Amino acid sequence: EAARAGEAGKGFAVVAEEVKQLAKETQDATERIAPLIENIQSNVQRAVDSIERSTTSTGEIHEAINTVAAAAEEQTATYSEINGQIQMATQKTENLKNEINVLQDEAEQNLEESHQLRNTAEDINRYSEKLKKGISGLKF
């Protein structure tokens, strides 16, 4: 066609050859770019998957932190209750100690009074013996 058209056809042939060459270069570039695009898409998908896993992990970590916080609150409440009971037991022990001290003081006082009573009984017994001897000497 270009040869029949003459001089104008030669210019057309040059342009057509350049267009053909550009089309081939475009096809080659497309073939080179297609794997790059696929690779980019694959990397983007892996990044999205990684972000989703990270989001899921973050949610799980958040739940675990909430669980730990709840357990810590429970333990704090338990320790507080135990501490209150220890303080109550300490107070009761102190009261019992005071009562034992009072009982000990009373026991010591009772012991002292028992000694005095025994001494008095011994004195009465001696006087009774003297009286008996004195009476046995009397004749009626």
Side-chain angles (χ1 to χ4, degrees):
E1 273 308 305
R4 272 189 294 167
E7 221 30 63
K10 285 184 191 178
F12 178 75
V14 171
V15 170
E17 185 60 33
E18 285 183 20
V19 169
K20 182 178 171 184
Q21 185 63 31
L22 284 174
K24 182 166 180 7
E25 287 177 13
T26 301
Q27 182 179 357
D28 290 345
T30 302
E31 288 174 3
R32 284 192 315 259
I33 290 173
L36 295 174
I37 291 172
E38 287 176 12
N39 189 27
I40 290 170
Q41 287 175 335
S42 175
N43 287 338
V44 167
Q45 185 59 48
R46 281 197 302 269
V48 167
D49 292 344
S50 177
I51 290 169
E52 285 177 355
R53 284 191 306 273
S54 177
T55 301
T56 300
S57 294
T58 301
E60 290 171 356
I61 290 170
H62 184 46
E63 287 178 25
I65 288 171
N66 286 340
T67 301
V68 168
E73 285 179 24
E74 264 184 57
Q75 284 186 342
T76 300
T78 301
Y79 290 144
S80 180
E81 184 177 334
I82 289 170
N83 187 35
Q85 290 183 7
I86 288 172
Q87 288 178 353
M88 188 183 327
T90 301
Q91 183 62 43
K92 287 182 178 182
T93 302
E94 188 65 31
N95 290 345
L96 184 60
K97 178 183 159 195
N98 291 338
E99 289 178 18
I100 289 172
N101 287 339
V102 167
L103 288 175
Q104 182 179 4
D105 290 345
E106 288 178 2
E108 288 173 359
Q109 185 178 355
N110 286 343
L111 181 62
E112 187 178 318
E113 290 174 358
S114 293
H115 288 298
Q116 289 174 358
L117 188 58
R118 185 188 63 179
N119 290 339
T120 303
E122 287 174 355
D123 287 344
I124 290 174
N125 192 27
R126 278 193 302 273
Y127 292 129
S128 173
E129 286 297 319
K130 283 182 184 180
L131 186 59
K132 231 189 214 178
K133 284 182 186 177
I135 292 178
S136 64
L138 290 176
K139 296 204 177 185
F140 293 102

